[in-house]
Amino acid sequence: MHDFVYREGELYCEQVPVSRIVKEVGTPCYVYSYSTLVRHFRAYDSAFKNIPHIIAFAMKSNSNLAILSLMAKEGSGVDIVSGGELYRALKAGVSPSKIVFAGVGKNPDEIRDALKADILMFNVESSAELRAINDVAASVGCRARVALRINPDIDPKTHPYISTGLKKSKFGIAADRALEEFKLASSLKHIEVVGVHKHIGSQLTEVTPFVEALKKVLKLVELLKQDGINIQYINIGGGLGITYSDETPPLPQELADAISPLIRDLKVTLIMEPGRVIVGNAGILVTKALYLKEGEAKSFVIVDAAMNDLIRPSLYGAYHEIRPVLEAAGHRPKHQVDVVGPVCESGDFLAKDRSLAEVKPGEALAVMSAGAYGFVMSSNYNSRPRVPEVLVKDGEIHVIRARETFDDLVKGETIPGFLK
Ligand SMILES: *Cc1c(COP(=O)(O)O)cnc(C)c1O
């Protein structure tokens, strides 16, 4: 469910016609709906109301300060994966007591900053990292709370690039080595073992892989108990999918119904790290058609947004629906087209072989479901300034990130003296 709907042939974001945003802000731009964001967060949160839980929004999916402070106001924590994300989270007012830190390559500076901020815990991905955290905690003079990330070897049945819980994955610690690692962890002086973590992948459209993975984790928790290691937090990661075209992912409530009975009696706090399911359908990328081009074998709609603005189609072959901002009166004939950007790469496309209602040059188009892994993955490739982000609330347009300027493009670059 989202708040991007047509009224009398015009696409709206909540009470605001998208065409008005185009006039005020220009294209390309990202547009987010406040009410969709809040509704999505609350749906997830209330689904788990019967068990103690923390939602740690996976901020790598969308890390704009305004979005983060909205989440924080709703009571969300965050899942961070870098020192930069820690910086953003603290700046946005996220409570450190709800910050968890994942990632296979945390460096000593990032670990120190996170310890000083007194975050809830590190999700640890290897024994080498465990020792590194122990060393940094010793130098800071504290104990680091950790969960070990287990790789349950469950196939999430999603795209290989966003599948993270299989044996061949770089993530987590193999389930059969976990016990040993936990023993090492609890023997280290500056480590306090508090949890188990798993995250098996993204854009999951079934409940079963979540349940299977959790069952493996629970077996481990039982074994740990026998060894005197008491787990207080079970973190099931994120990964719940959304509808991009015709997927029918489970609702948060269905996930909760499947998972709650398994952990209800355990006296643990459940941590969850949803990203995409909160922000994905709460945002769109608005672009403008520049030219129509008839190639030898294909027809192209050339638009002003490109792979540097939204890389998901190029990177994962991801599908994003494309809709006109002004639905034409009457019926436009449909044409099979590639929607491509101005970047000098054949991989620069937003849609391939798509049947679209005839596009007119100059008209605005909405690339749907672009709120997650959209702006955050954008770059300045081809020296293209990154596009603005807009948050719509109560009929008002708030620019939450300005369009970059050409000066922004060269910020920090210097020409050494010998070249002058
Ligand atoms: C990416 C990631 C998430 C969020 O995944 P979504 O599919 O966006 O919900 C959660 N936890 C970890 C550890 C991640 O790497």
Side-chain angles (χ1 to χ4, degrees):
M1 278 288 287
H2 57 71
D3 292 87
F4 297 93
V5 289
Y6 286 102
R7 289 196 202 122
E8 289 166 16
E10 257 210 83
L11 186 66
Y12 275 69
C13 174
E14 302 185 9
Q15 278 78 263
V16 176
V18 173
S19 60
R20 197 178 116 205
I21 302 170
V22 170
K23 261 191 219 108
E24 285 184 26
V25 184
T27 60
C29 67
Y30 278 93
V31 178
Y32 309 117
S33 154
Y34 175 88
S35 58
T36 307
L37 288 163
V38 167
R39 196 171 53 246
H40 285 178
F41 176 82
R42 291 182 187 169
Y44 214 102
D45 196 34
S46 68
F48 290 90
K49 63 178 179 296
N50 293 329
I51 33 179
H53 69 275
I54 294 171
I55 295 186
F57 171 61
M59 64 175 279
K60 73 176 196 278
S61 64
N62 190 320
S63 58
N64 184 288
L65 287 179
I67 305 283
L68 295 180
S69 68
L70 181 166
M71 292 295 164
K73 284 215 168 63
E74 286 294 313
S76 186
V78 291
D79 164 36
I80 63 170
V81 293
S82 72
E85 287 197 347
L86 175 64
Y87 175 80
R88 279 179 178 277
L90 297 175
K91 212 174 168 65
V94 178
S95 164
S97 66
K98 290 181 182 173
I99 297 179
V100 294
F101 191 170
V104 295
K106 303 172 190 81
N107 71 45
D109 288 338
E110 293 174 319
I111 295 167
R112 183 170 299 109
D113 289 347
L115 285 171
K116 287 191 169 155
D118 200 20
I119 66 163
L120 179 58
M121 74 182 76
F122 296 85
N123 292 325
V124 176
E125 308 239 8
S126 65
S127 37
E129 185 196 331
L130 203 47
R131 290 198 173 86
I133 293 175
N134 185 59
D135 290 348
V136 178
S139 75
V140 173
C142 67
R143 283 178 92 201
R145 286 177 295 273
V146 305
L148 298 196
R149 178 171 180 174
I150 303 309
N151 181 339
D153 195 27
I154 297 282
D155 187 354
K157 303 192 182 80
T158 184
H159 191 284
Y161 286 11
I162 49 177
S163 169
T164 55
L166 284 167
K167 268 191 183 140
K168 61 185 179 197
S169 158
K170 75 173 175 180
F171 297 101
I173 295 162
D176 51 13
R177 280 211 0 255
L179 203 53
E180 209 180 301
E181 294 293 338
F182 269 98
K183 284 182 189 161
L184 165 67
S186 57
S187 76
L188 295 172
K189 214 172 137 210
H190 294 277
I191 295 286
E192 182 188 358
V193 180
V194 295
V196 187
H197 176 238
K198 65 97 184 145
H199 169 76
I200 57 175
S202 198
Q203 185 53 17
L204 273 65
T205 53
E206 291 169 39
V207 161
T208 319
F210 284 102
V211 173
E212 295 304 308
L214 179 58
K215 282 184 178 160
K216 286 205 175 177
V217 166
L218 293 178
K219 266 193 201 130
L220 177 66
V221 170
E222 189 52 43
L223 289 176
L224 289 171
K225 204 172 185 178
Q226 291 163 18
D227 267 309
I229 301 173
N230 266 317
I231 294 302
Q232 306 158 49
Y233 296 91
I234 293 179
N235 184 334
I236 62 167
L240 198 57
I242 64 169
T243 304
Y244 285 100
S245 58
D246 51 8
E247 304 92 335
T248 51
L251 295 170
Q253 189 62 56
E254 294 171 63
L255 180 64
D257 291 345
I259 276 174
S260 304
L262 297 174
I263 65 160
R264 197 177 287 139
D265 303 325
L266 288 183
K267 295 202 181 78
V268 293
T269 298
L270 183 65
I271 302 178
M272 291 160 289
E273 304 169 334
R276 188 189 311 268
V277 69
I278 309 284
V279 288
N281 279 324
I284 60 173
L285 171 63
V286 185
T287 183
K288 195 175 268 180
L290 297 171
Y291 306 109
L292 307 181
K293 178 171 173 174
E294 292 301 323
E296 284 276 305
K298 283 194 157 195
S299 300
F300 299 96
V301 175
I302 300 164
V303 298
D304 64 358
M307 65 187 289
N308 73 294
D309 304 308
L310 177 65
I311 204 174
R312 298 190 67 259
S314 308
L315 185 61
Y316 313 121
Y319 177 97
H320 286 269
E321 203 182 317
I322 296 181
R323 295 185 184 164
V325 165
L326 297 178
E327 269 184 328
H331 291 290
R332 300 196 233 181
K334 289 209 163 184
H335 294 300
Q336 178 118 324
V337 295
D338 281 11
V339 179
V340 302
V343 162
C344 299
E345 295 278 346
S346 294
D348 176 27
F349 60 89
L350 297 177
K352 277 222 152 144
D353 302 317
R354 189 72 60 83
S355 175
L356 280 192
E358 189 168 53
V359 175
K360 291 191 266 337
E363 83 165 294
L365 300 170
V367 183
M368 306 303 290
S369 313
Y373 307 105
F375 181 86
V376 283
M377 287 178 122
S378 67
S379 77
N380 292 123
Y381 188 42
N382 276 211
S383 283
R384 290 166 53 84
R386 278 183 295 172
V387 308
E389 293 175 285
V390 169
L391 180 63
V392 170
K393 178 178 187 289
D394 295 335
E396 291 200 36
I397 299 170
H398 303 270
V399 176
I400 56 173
R401 192 180 207 276
R403 189 181 301 282
E404 288 182 349
T405 64
F406 290 157
D407 273 343
D408 291 331
L409 288 179
V410 295
K411 184 171 175 242
E413 293 183 26
T414 36
I415 301 170
F418 69 86
L419 289 172
K420 284 180 181 154

